Amino acid sequence: QIYEEKILADAIEVKAGREPSTSLPQFVSHFFTRRYGLASLANKHYEEFMAGVRKFAKVSPRIKFFSVIIGVNPYAENVDFSVAMPDFVIKVISLMVPANKTAELLNSRDHTVECNKVFDVAHKMLPHDTPLAPKRNLREIIVNRARPGKNTLPGLPVDDILDLLLEEMLIAMGRIEMPEGT
């Protein structure tokens, strides 16, 4: 739900000719105020939400990833993630799924994004003429990791796509080593 609302808010700003002005961490903190209105009620729900994120980040890769990009993961305290990282994630998601279906598709464990679309998104987000150019053959990696989709061609779940693109970006930045055998 948060990703979907952030993508829709960014689309409105872009349509109005402005750059999105609210980062994902800021958006999360304002999300509860918009939803509940009353500050005390919003703060109560925000604190419960953040406690849940911290608790379940230990057992859920998706929640761990979310906690890192909003800056609340205690395991990533010493990692200097750029403030652009959450924006990168939002852009990747917005390129893969329709804005008004984001929550529904991200909540579906059966939803996959077709391999050619994944490659197009990877190419757009990690252009070959920049320092973030992929160091590995992404088309081969995408095809090898693909699984049959529900009512679609083989593809990758959104979580797997985000993992792959972030891993590739960190390899290009020299932050992590390239995995053996790739």
Side-chain angles (χ1 to χ4, degrees), residues 36-76:
Y36 297 103
L38 188 62
S40 60
L41 188 58
N43 287 337
K44 176 182 179 272
H45 285 282
Y46 174 75
E47 291 302 324
E48 288 172 357
F49 174 78
M50 296 308 282
V53 168
R54 287 182 187 96
K55 177 181 179 181
F56 291 105
K58 298 172 186 170
V59 295
S60 166
R62 179 181 284 205
I63 295 174
K64 181 179 181 182
F65 179 79
F66 180 76
S67 72
V68 168
I69 66 171
I70 65 168
V72 298
N73 188 312
Y75 304 108

Side-chain angles (χ1 to χ4, degrees), residues 96-97 111-115 117-118 152-158 161:
M96 290 186 294
V97 296
H111 179 72
T112 59
V113 178
E114 194 267 321
C115 289
K117 185 166 189 167
V118 175
T152 66
L153 296 170
L156 294 175
V158 173
I161 298 164

Side-chain angles (χ1 to χ4, degrees), residues 43-181:
N43 287 337
K44 176 182 179 272
H45 285 282
Y46 174 75
E47 291 302 324
E48 288 172 357
F49 174 78
M50 296 308 282
V53 168
R54 287 182 187 96
K55 177 181 179 181
F56 291 105
K58 298 172 186 170
V59 295
S60 166
R62 179 181 284 205
I63 295 174
K64 181 179 181 182
F65 179 79
F66 180 76
S67 72
V68 168
I69 66 171
I70 65 168
V72 298
N73 188 312
Y75 304 108
E77 284 178 353
N78 298 323
V79 179
D80 180 26
F81 281 102
S82 165
V83 293
M85 184 70 72
D87 294 333
F88 176 88
V89 171
I90 292 294
K91 181 69 173 175
V92 169
I93 292 170
S94 72
L95 290 170
M96 290 186 294
V97 296
N100 63 342
K101 296 278 190 185
T102 303
E104 175 188 339
L105 295 177
L106 289 181
N107 288 330
S108 166
R109 297 292 180 213
D110 295 330
H111 179 72
T112 59
V113 178
E114 194 267 321
C115 289
N116 284 332
K117 185 166 189 167
V118 175
F119 184 74
D120 291 344
V121 168
H123 184 70
K124 182 176 263 188
M125 296 304 296
L126 304 170
H128 287 282
D129 58 349
T130 70
L132 294 180
K135 307 291 186 226
R136 304 179 289 175
N137 182 338
L138 287 187
R139 185 175 298 278
E140 183 179 313
I141 293 170
I142 290 165
V143 169
N144 287 339
R145 293 185 183 180
R147 67 179 198 207
K150 185 177 183 181
N151 302 322
T152 66
L153 296 170
L156 294 175
V158 173
D159 290 344
D160 292 359
I161 298 164
L162 289 170
D163 285 346
L164 173 63
L165 295 181
L166 289 171
E167 179 180 279
E168 199 59 40
M169 185 170 69
L170 292 171
I171 290 170
M173 293 167 62
R175 298 286 298 280
I176 62 173
E177 296 294 320
M178 196 174 319
E180 290 188 33

